[in-house]
């Protein structure tokens, strides 16, 4: 599958602007996972898909703290609107990726240590095949994964900007402004990742323990 990807058209946005409140207000991006920070781990994986990697951080972040932990050079964007949550990170990241000519952007949280590259590649390919403005995994109970999804940068940037200008702060507030929204059932992704470990995220120390066990 990897051979069919077109890296110059694809990009990756990693959101690293939040604090782990249930972890004691620690910076999740710098949490050690098997000897490397979570952010470095996800960058090292996704650079195999595209060299266009943008990391979104909060307005006052010292990017040098993150950069020195990373295996490759990445671009950083900062929040401009305070207390706007991940939607502001998406807005800034989509702007940068759109300016770089990226047509389809994976958008991932930084606390996904078990992301599966075959899942990500399949999602990019399906988004391009469908001409999607958003391709979002959806669970049987209707829960969606907007921070493990694919978006078209220019239209998602516009949608996020409009949502924030209207006082809306949720990612779904931007998504509802898109025209071509597709959902992919998570069960469709099991052929690449039978246990769907790709969606494992770290919110608590118990989550960390379980993820470390799953990583082997």
């Amino acid at each position: 599958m990897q051979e069919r990807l077109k890296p110059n058209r694809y990009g990756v946005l990693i959101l690293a602007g939040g604090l782990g409140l249930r972890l004691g207000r620690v910076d999740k991006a710098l949490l050690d996972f098997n000897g490397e920070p979570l952010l470095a781990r996800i960058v090292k994986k996704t650079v195999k898909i595209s060299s266009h990697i943008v990391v979104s951080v909060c307005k006052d972040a010292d990017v040098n703290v993150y950069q020195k932990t990373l295996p490759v050079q990445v671009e950083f964007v900062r929040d401009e609107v305070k207390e706007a949550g991940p939607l502001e990170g998406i807005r800034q990241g989509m702007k940068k990726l759109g300016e770089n000519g990226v047509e389809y952007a994976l958008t991932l949280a930084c606390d996904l240590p078990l992301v599966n590259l075959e899942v990500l590649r399949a999602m990019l390919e399906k988004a391009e095949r469908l001409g999607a403005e958003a391709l979002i995994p959806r669970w049987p109970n209707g829960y969606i994964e907007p921070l493990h999804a694919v978006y078209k940068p220019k239209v998602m940037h516009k949608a996020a900007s409009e949502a924030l200008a209207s006082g809306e702060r949720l990612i779904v507030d931007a998504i509802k402004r898109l025209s071509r929204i597709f959902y992919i059932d998570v069960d469709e992704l099991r052929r690449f990742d039978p246990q769907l470990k790709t969606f494992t995220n770290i919110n608590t120390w118990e989550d960390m323990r379980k993820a470390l066990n799953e990583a082997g």
Side-chain angles (χ1 to χ4, degrees):
M1 183 181 296
Q2 186 174 3
E3 292 74 12
R4 299 198 298 274
L5 288 173
K6 303 170 183 176
N8 59 314
R9 298 182 64 186
Y10 299 138
V12 181
L13 170 61
I14 303 171
L15 298 177
L19 289 177
L21 299 181
R22 284 180 282 174
L23 293 163
R25 296 187 66 83
V26 300
D27 189 335
K28 281 189 184 182
L30 299 176
L31 273 180
D32 182 276
F33 190 93
N34 271 352
E36 60 185 345
L38 282 173
L39 177 59
R41 181 180 176 88
I42 197 169
V43 168
K44 186 168 70 176
K45 287 188 175 187
T46 54
V47 75
K48 296 175 183 178
I49 289 177
S50 173
S51 60
H52 294 287
I53 297 179
V54 171
V55 175
S56 166
V57 297
C58 65
K59 187 173 184 178
D60 301 322
D62 179 0
V63 297
N64 292 321
V65 173
Y66 301 101
Q67 185 65 69
K68 68 183 182 181
T69 72
L70 299 180
V72 296
Q73 187 72 26
V74 303
E75 291 188 271
F76 286 85
V77 293
R78 298 177 184 271
D79 291 351
E80 292 181 1
V81 179
K82 283 192 173 184
E83 299 180 1
L87 184 58
E88 171 64 0
I90 289 175
R91 184 175 79 94
Q92 297 297 336
M94 291 294 146
K95 179 181 179 182
K96 174 62 70 175
L97 288 167
E99 291 171 348
N100 290 347
V102 169
E103 294 186 32
Y104 293 92
L106 282 164
T107 298
L108 301 167
C110 70
D111 64 340
L112 297 168
L114 306 179
V115 287
N116 183 294
L117 292 184
E118 290 305 306
V119 167
L120 301 183
R121 290 178 180 123
M123 288 173 56
L124 281 167
E125 290 180 343
K126 184 161 188 171
E128 185 169 27
R129 188 166 62 249
L130 294 172
E133 293 179 351
L135 179 75
I136 307 167
R138 182 168 57 188
W139 294 85
N141 64 2
Y143 182 85
I144 64 172
E145 297 280 358
L147 294 182
H148 192 300
V150 178
Y151 303 104
K152 284 189 76 72
K154 290 184 178 179
V155 292
M156 188 56 174
H157 170 255
K158 181 174 182 290
S161 297
E162 290 176 353
L164 288 168
S166 299
E168 299 171 312
R169 294 292 186 267
L170 301 178
I171 300 173
V172 293
D173 293 325
I175 293 171
K176 69 185 182 183
R177 288 174 161 82
L178 304 177
S179 299
R180 294 185 58 78
I181 306 165
F182 293 87
Y183 296 96
I184 181 169
D185 291 338
V186 294
D187 285 338
E188 185 177 331
L189 302 172
R190 288 187 186 276
R191 62 189 177 118
F192 309 108
D193 184 5
Q195 297 180 26
L196 298 176
K197 293 181 181 181
T198 193
F199 297 111
T200 298
N201 68 328
I202 309 298
N203 288 317
T204 67
W205 292 113
E206 179 62 16
D207 292 339
M208 175 68 84
R209 185 190 67 78
K210 290 179 178 178
L212 287 167
N213 287 337
E214 290 178 350

